[in-house]
Amino acid sequence: MTNIILLGPPGAGKGTQAAMLVEERGMIQLSTGDMLREAKDSGTEMGKIVADVMARGDLVTDEIVIGLIREKLQGDKAGGFIFDGFPRTLAQADALGELMAEQGETLDHVIELQVNDEVLVDRIVGRAAEAVAAGGTARADDNAESLKIRLMAYYKQTSPLIGYYHAKGMLKGVDGLGSMDGVKAEIAGVLEA
Ligand code: ADP
């Protein structure tokens, strides 16, 4: 059983890679973004509180997301956890370390998907257009203004985790600019090393 974090800016491909790992390795994807969107869509109190923050592109409070993750860690562990979009702050990283220790679990790898900003903007704008073309609606935060704030939040609050996990000897960099299968193969290389 392997527990990993997928780290990288919005649009880096964390969700895409996580879905393939779930499919092929029976791992469990824990996406705090998905959990928060579900809470929003189901109209819970918490969902109402986070909706505006998310639409704007800012981070919701550590307390809320740590609470969501704490609950999930007590459930089925299957082939291991993929943390997708969590942790996003140093406080969340510390909390995850403690929660894993409480469960007798270890974090095996932190996989950083490395991309550049132009690609991110293109991917996210493309994703929004595809959603609309398919007759749906784009995510509330998939617009140029929110994206700028999401990227800023990533660089200010999340990118320090690269140093944090590097110092722990857990960081593995993967080139996120390749094809979906190319990135998948690089991740497989990390998992099987
Ligand atoms: P992306 O990686 O494309 O930015 P996510 O689906 O991971 O998207 O997250 C969407 C939004 O949900 C974030 O912009 C933020 O508002 C909120 N969110 C998700 N995960 C966290 C987290 N770990 N801490 C704080 N806010 C979060």
Side-chain angles (χ1 to χ4, degrees):
M1 198 167 81
T2 309
N3 298 308
I4 64 171
I5 293 175
L6 293 180
L7 189 64
K14 302 183 296 287
T16 303
Q17 294 299 326
M20 295 194 282
L21 291 166
V22 168
E23 180 80 12
E24 290 166 25
R25 294 173 190 258
M27 297 178 77
I28 295 185
Q29 178 186 10
L30 298 183
S31 159
T32 42
D34 287 349
M35 294 174 207
L36 292 166
R37 276 185 290 277
E38 266 166 38
K40 192 190 86 181
D41 294 343
S42 58
T44 63
E45 263 326 291
M46 190 261 279
K48 287 180 202 154
I49 293 170
V50 301
D52 290 342
V53 177
M54 289 177 73
R56 201 164 61 227
D58 282 322
L59 297 188
V60 309
T61 64
D62 289 334
E63 201 190 358
I64 288 178
V65 291
I66 291 166
L68 289 170
I69 289 288
R70 178 183 287 119
E71 238 173 78
K72 301 283 180 182
L73 291 188
Q74 284 153 7
D76 183 16
K77 298 183 173 61
F81 294 117
I82 307 159
F83 297 96
D84 161 13
F86 179 92
R88 254 179 163 91
T89 63
L90 290 168
Q92 291 177 23
D94 281 336
L96 178 61
E98 284 166 25
L99 289 171
M100 293 291 274
E102 276 170 26
Q103 295 288 318
E105 293 287 325
T106 50
L107 203 50
D108 298 290
H109 308 287
V110 177
I111 298 175
E112 183 203 358
L113 293 177
Q114 299 163 333
V115 288
N116 64 44
D117 285 4
E118 290 102 274
V119 173
L120 301 177
V121 176
D122 288 350
R123 282 185 183 175
I124 288 175
V125 170
R127 175 166 83 188
E130 271 170 32
V132 172
T137 45
R139 260 171 58 171
D141 58 350
D142 274 356
N143 59 74
E145 207 176 318
S146 301
L147 182 58
K148 224 184 271 171
I149 297 174
R150 283 158 66 196
L151 281 173
M152 194 60 80
Y154 178 77
Y155 290 114
K156 277 170 83 169
Q157 292 168 276
T158 307
S159 67
L161 301 188
I162 294 170
Y164 177 98
Y165 287 117
H166 171 72
K168 289 180 183 284
M170 295 162 96
L171 191 75
K172 316 281 155 60
V174 160
D175 178 6
L177 291 178
S179 64
M180 253 162 58
D181 284 335
V183 177
K184 181 172 107 175
E186 274 204 55
I187 293 176
V190 171
L191 298 183
E192 279 143 31

